[in-house]
Amino acid sequence: MTQGLFDLRDCDANGRIGHFTVPRSNVVVETPALLPVINPKLQTISPSTLASKFGAQILITNSYIIHQDDHLHAESLEKGLHEFLDFPGAIMTDSGSFQLAEYGNVDVTTSEIIHFQNAIGSDIATPLDIPTPPDAPLETAQLDLETTFERLELSKSLVDGDMLISAPIQGSTHLDLREQAAKHAYALGFDVFPIGAAVPLLTQYRFKDVVDIIMATKRGLGFDAIVHLFGAGHPMMFALAVAAGCDLFDSAAYALYARRGSYLTTQGTKQLVDLDHFPCYCPVCSAYTPSELQNLSKLECESLLAEHNLYVSFGELKRIKVAIKEGNLLELVELRSASHPAMLDGCRALFQYSAQLERQDPSVKGTFFHISDLSPLRPEIVRHHNHLSRINIGTNVLLTTDIVPPFSTSNYSEILYVKPPFGPFPYSLSHTYPLTAEIPFTTDSISLKQAAVGISTLVSLHPETAFTFAHNNWPQTILETLSDDVKFINLSS
């Protein structure tokens, strides 16, 4: 990987705000960033407008489409890609792999398309990889991956200059192959790591599988690797993907959805014909009512609808950056999980990787807010349980859910407070993060289970210590998960 491309500014879970330096265009892109897709034959919104009106710092276009069209081919070589598209920011180019996935064949070689991308002045080129679809047989995915590896290695040898090269990470839904592919590409020194063949999963709302392949890819990459989720353009899932570790997104969704009258929101997709009011205050929605927009010409309506879709997409990325800065990205993910049952699946899947998220998650943030049944599964709880080994205790310990138990405690060598979902801790730490958490007055079963895991962890670390747990009428099913050596006092009796 080219040294110094990525400068980390803030992080939360696997989400990051960073500065991505693109040498060829001398542009610094703030991540997470959206790369609007530009079809060189059909521009719903011009690249110059993307820059001036929406603040786009980077976009992506398809070098294969340009290569195969005689007029576009000649013009892009003559003018260079930036003048050809009239865009001042960084430009990434795809290679034709999407067309390969759609039609089964492309009329170009890896060498030809890499040389062409370099010749027209692409800032970030993409090799002609093999996009293996989800649920492919293992043997097929392995063979495709071997071909992709060969093409990646060839592409790396063809470029000597400041054009960056991306290395699409393939492997279908086989997570071990995704991790293997990521390790291989990172070792070869590529610059950007797009997660390939995710579009079928995204369009089918298989967000759990999307999270799984992102997390597998992240395990195979170094911390400085820039991760790009190919084809992700719906703002509803940006927070989820950023929290999992994606830095870049690209999609033509803003235009494609507009052409069929679809209106994007962070809670899902609505049809323009079904709307009486706009749930948005962007310039488009402030200037028009739904009926007024429908009464415009088809092209005007489509263009304005695409603008709204971009406003809401870029707006969500700004909201995500604020959440990362404030340390509440996972709370935003929890809120977005209510947008669709499939989003809830994705959020649940992400929180199953809390141990992996914890490695990058900051140890100090603002207040932890418990806002859903998913909150007790966050990485802060994993870290607290891991840190229980640091607590020095005596031979006879009282664990209590009441700060001041209603009985004599003089016989105990140590008193630890138990607060769901964290579990036990010395009261002296109660004013430190994350134990300052705001939690509901009614404790849910998942929080109790997580607290019980903390108790069990502490008990297992001190087999010679006698433990008594004074609780407020905890369910018997939770108490039964604790060691038989733990004595119980019900404070509610």
Side-chain angles (χ1 to χ4, degrees):
M1 180 172 177
T2 305
Q3 293 297 313
L5 290 183
F6 186 77
D7 179 21
L8 178 67
R9 296 306 175 99
D10 286 286
C11 64
D12 191 22
N14 267 0
R16 312 186 293 184
I17 297 174
H19 286 179
F20 169 29
T21 299
V22 184
R24 194 170 198 178
S25 57
N26 195 29
V27 169
V28 177
V29 176
E30 185 177 76
T31 66
L34 174 65
L35 290 71
V37 172
I38 289 295
N39 184 335
K41 291 187 173 182
L42 179 63
Q43 296 182 13
T44 305
I45 297 177
S46 70
S48 60
T49 301
L50 289 172
S52 62
K53 183 176 286 190
F54 301 96
Q57 298 173 317
I58 185 170
L59 59 75
I60 186 170
T61 192
N62 194 307
S63 67
Y64 179 72
I65 293 175
I66 299 172
H67 182 275
Q68 297 302 106
D69 184 287
D70 291 341
H71 174 71
L72 298 179
H73 187 125
E75 186 179 358
S76 63
L77 284 173
E78 178 186 352
K79 294 182 176 180
L81 193 57
H82 285 268
E83 184 181 344
F84 171 68
L85 292 179
D86 188 21
F87 184 69
I91 300 176
M92 182 176 184
T93 45
D94 200 0
S95 60
S97 293
F98 179 78
Q99 283 72 22
L100 181 61
E102 288 290 304
Y103 310 117
N105 188 40
V106 289
D107 187 22
V108 72
T109 67
T110 300
S111 297
E112 288 170 341
I113 202 64
I114 287 293
H115 282 308
F116 181 69
Q117 291 175 82
N118 194 25
I120 62 177
S122 172
D123 297 311
I124 309 168
T126 305
L128 187 62
D129 59 306
I130 305 296
T132 312
D135 310 313
L138 177 60
E139 183 178 357
T140 299
Q142 288 173 325
L143 290 173
D144 287 350
L145 195 54
E146 289 174 9
T147 302
T148 292
F149 284 168
E150 292 171 1
R151 294 181 178 185
L152 291 181
E153 292 171 12
L154 173 61
S155 300
K156 189 70 175 172
S157 70
L158 295 174
V159 177
D160 182 16
D162 54 5
M163 182 176 72
L164 303 180
I165 309 181
S166 68
I169 307 302
Q170 298 292 347
S172 184
T173 38
H174 303 285
L175 303 184
D176 54 340
L177 291 186
R178 291 280 185 175
E179 184 174 352
Q180 175 191 342
K183 287 180 179 177
H184 184 82
Y186 187 76
L188 288 174
F190 281 86
D191 303 301
V192 179
F193 301 88
I195 298 174
V199 170
L201 297 175
L202 293 164
T203 56
Q204 295 168 27
Y205 276 32
R206 291 172 58 179
F207 296 127
K208 175 190 179 301
D209 292 319
V210 173
V211 167
D212 286 339
I213 64 172
I214 295 171
M215 298 303 290
T217 299
K218 291 287 287 186
R219 287 194 295 273
L221 296 172
F223 178 77
D224 59 343
I226 300 164
V227 179
H228 179 168
L229 185 58
F230 263 155
H234 201 302
M236 177 177 69
M237 56 81 60
F238 284 173
L240 177 66
V242 169
C246 295
D247 305 297
L248 304 174
F249 305 88
D250 79 89
S251 179
Y254 71 96
L256 297 177
Y257 278 59
R259 283 173 204 155
R260 60 178 187 243
S262 296
Y263 177 96
L264 295 180
T265 79
T266 56
Q267 288 80 41
T269 306
K270 301 180 184 297
Q271 294 305 307
L272 181 61
V273 295
D274 296 332
L275 292 173
D276 293 321
H277 305 280
F278 282 135
C280 173
Y281 294 97
C282 77
V284 174
C285 297
S286 299
Y288 296 90
T289 66
S291 60
E292 288 171 343
L293 205 58
Q294 291 178 74
N295 287 332
L296 298 175
S297 71
K298 185 178 186 302
L299 284 178
E300 285 181 297
C301 179
E302 180 183 312
S303 177
L304 288 169
L305 196 51
E307 286 194 13
H308 158 78
N309 291 342
L310 282 169
Y311 278 122
V312 75
S313 298
F314 281 105
E316 178 69 353
L317 286 178
K318 288 182 178 180
R319 191 174 295 110
I320 288 167
K321 290 173 185 177
V322 171
I324 292 173
K325 187 75 175 178
E326 295 181 348
N328 54 33
L329 176 60
L330 292 179
E331 290 165 22
L332 179 59
V333 173
E334 288 182 68
L335 291 173
R336 294 291 178 256
S337 73
S339 303
H340 192 280
M343 281 295 298
L344 180 58
D345 286 338
C347 187
R348 285 172 174 166
L350 179 67
F351 283 23
Q352 291 301 310
Y353 291 101
S354 279
Q356 186 176 339
L357 297 176
E358 188 270 334
R359 297 168 198 161
Q360 181 178 305
D361 196 51
S363 58
V364 177
K365 309 181 190 179
T367 304
F368 179 112
F369 276 78
H370 182 306
I371 61 171
S372 79
D373 289 348
L374 295 168
S375 299
L377 304 176
R378 282 169 47 178
E380 290 92 335
I381 285 79
V382 172
R383 178 181 292 121
H384 178 73
H385 292 169
N386 290 341
H387 287 182
L388 288 172
S389 60
R390 301 179 181 182
I391 298 177
N392 295 317
I393 59 176
T395 57
N396 189 18
V397 175
L398 174 66
L399 309 173
T400 176
T401 56
D402 278 7
I403 297 175
V404 182
F407 54 81
S408 174
T409 59
S410 59
N411 292 331
Y412 297 101
S413 58
E414 190 80 30
I415 300 174
L416 299 180
Y417 182 44
V418 175
K419 180 176 182 176
F422 301 98
F425 60 90
Y427 185 70
S428 60
L429 297 179
S430 61
H431 296 292
T432 63
Y433 184 85
L435 302 172
T436 53
E438 294 286 348
I439 61 176
F441 290 111
T442 303
T443 306
D444 60 273
S445 62
I446 299 176
S447 291
L448 293 175
K449 288 177 183 177
Q450 288 290 77
V453 169
I455 294 172
S456 295
T457 300
L458 184 67
V459 170
S460 67
L461 291 168
H462 301 277
E464 304 301 321
T465 297
F467 288 92
T468 300
F469 179 35
H471 62 89
N472 285 291
N473 207 27
W474 277 32
Q476 189 62 31
T477 53
I478 302 293
L479 298 177
E480 287 173 353
T481 65
L482 301 177
S483 168
D484 292 339
D485 295 330
V486 177
K487 299 178 181 178
F488 300 110
I489 297 174
N490 192 341
L491 300 171
S492 299
S493 298

